Amino acid sequence: MYKFIDNRGKIKEITIARDILEDQRQLAEKNRTLLNSLGIKMIDIMGSVGTGKTSLVQKLIEHLKDNNRIVVLNGDLATTIDQERIMQYGVQAVQVNTGKECHLDAAVVKGVFDNLELKDVDLIIVENVGNLICPVDFPLGSHRRLLVISVTEGPYVAVKHPHIFAEIDCVAINKIDVAPVMEIDVEQITRDIKSINANTTIYPLSCKEGTGIKELVTELTGGWGNA
Ligand SMILES: Nc1nc2c(ncn2[C@@H]2O[C@H](COP(=O)(O)OP(=O)(O)O)[C@@H](O)[C@H]2O)c(=O)[nH]1
Ligand SMILES: [Mg+2]
């Protein structure tokens, strides 16, 4: 639903039909069924450009690569920068350049599956396209979804984007090492997120300093579900 507010404060609400998303949900369910049949887990990481998604994937790899055969799927409009960063860890990475599309979707991810030797994979980590709005409406068939925000996005990121926070039950607040210089109150952001979704688990992180990573890894790998 969209709200138009005119200069007298008069509000008009307009609802747009979203049935096309039902196809996406069905494709996502098929992906998850396929992954389950092979014993593979998949994590979908979302968040704006520059919040530290790739940095976090690198940290997850450090923690998980000894016990898991990992494939990373890097979604981005253009470039292979993120893929190259991941490959430095000796981990298989597939870059998906979406051109003008602001999110990955279940069909694209299935296309990647079709080109992998899935029998040699335990864990798929998806870095979704850097965007805070679109990816949440397009489930991929993952077992966990994680939203990465960062203190460099300013103090109002949650209250200005309630939709994604309402949908996602695990949020990492990255770059807490620079919170003082950004004059950001991480506890206020935490309260804002909780006011939108009281069930959300929130992990203050610094990928730069390694703070909070262990706790997040335990959370992500401790409770696989449908996401
Ligand atoms: N200070 C600080 N910088 C970080 C942290 N995590 C990532 N960065 C930096 O933020 C920038 C964007 O990170 P990147 O992982 O590429 O973000 P992505 O676009 O979400 O994948 C890079 O310059 C990182 O070095 C952190 O915890 N603290
Ligand atoms: Mg990235």
Side-chain angles (χ1 to χ4, degrees):
M1 187 178 66
Y2 292 80
K3 277 187 188 173
F4 295 146
I5 305 164
D6 73 14
N7 56 3
R8 292 180 195 145
K10 197 173 164 196
I11 297 174
K12 188 174 181 188
E13 294 181 346
I14 296 181
T15 301
I16 310 267
R18 305 300 292 264
D19 280 357
I20 49 163
L21 297 180
E22 182 51 33
D23 288 350
Q24 290 292 326
R25 281 190 282 273
Q26 288 178 13
L27 287 172
E29 209 46 61
K30 277 189 187 166
N31 282 351
R32 189 159 39 237
T33 302
L34 172 66
L35 295 176
N36 288 345
S37 73
L38 296 163
I40 301 170
K41 300 298 183 196
M42 183 161 78
I43 303 172
D44 178 12
I45 299 180
M46 288 167 275
S48 302
V49 177
T51 53
K53 296 180 299 301
T54 310
S55 304
L56 179 59
V57 174
Q58 290 170 312
K59 290 288 172 196
L60 296 180
I61 289 170
E62 284 172 13
H63 278 77
L64 296 169
K65 81 170 182 174
D66 288 347
N67 295 318
N68 297 277
R69 295 166 297 173
I70 301 173
V71 173
V72 176
L73 207 161
N74 294 101
D76 232 332
L77 303 192
T79 85
T80 54
I81 293 168
D82 289 354
Q83 177 189 37
E84 288 158 30
R85 287 170 64 186
I86 298 305
M87 282 166 52
Q88 285 173 2
Y89 288 73
V91 164
Q92 188 179 354
V94 180
Q95 183 77 53
V96 179
N97 286 145
T98 59
K100 289 195 280 187
E101 292 296 329
C102 56
H103 57 85
L104 296 175
D105 67 40
V108 170
V109 169
K110 175 64 165 63
V112 176
F113 290 174
D114 291 343
N115 287 283
L116 290 173
E117 288 292 335
L118 286 177
K119 66 176 174 38
D120 299 329
V121 179
D122 299 311
L123 176 63
I124 299 173
I125 304 176
V126 179
E127 176 180 348
N128 217 311
V129 178
N131 186 295
L132 198 50
I133 300 168
C134 312
V136 72
D137 283 333
F138 292 83
L140 307 178
S142 61
H143 301 88
R144 290 304 307 257
R145 294 178 109 186
L146 168 69
L147 174 61
V148 181
I149 63 171
S150 101
V151 302
T152 51
E153 293 178 286
Y156 307 121
V157 63
V159 290
K160 287 191 176 186
H161 295 87
H163 176 53
I164 192 164
F165 289 90
E167 296 288 323
I168 298 296
D169 66 359
C170 189
V171 177
I173 306 175
N174 191 28
K175 307 193 192 181
I176 56 167
D177 55 293
V178 292
V181 74
M182 293 298 298
E183 298 184 344
I184 297 295
D185 179 354
V186 174
E187 285 180 9
Q188 181 59 48
I189 296 181
T190 302
R191 283 193 293 275
D192 290 344
I193 297 169
K194 288 280 187 187
S195 74
I196 296 162
N197 185 346
N199 298 323
T200 310
T201 45
I202 299 169
Y203 290 84
L205 287 192
S206 168
C207 287
K208 186 176 178 188
E209 296 180 346
T211 321
I213 305 289
K214 229 178 183 174
E215 292 81 355
L216 179 62
V217 170
T218 304
E219 154 79 21
L220 286 176
T221 56
W224 298 113
N226 294 343

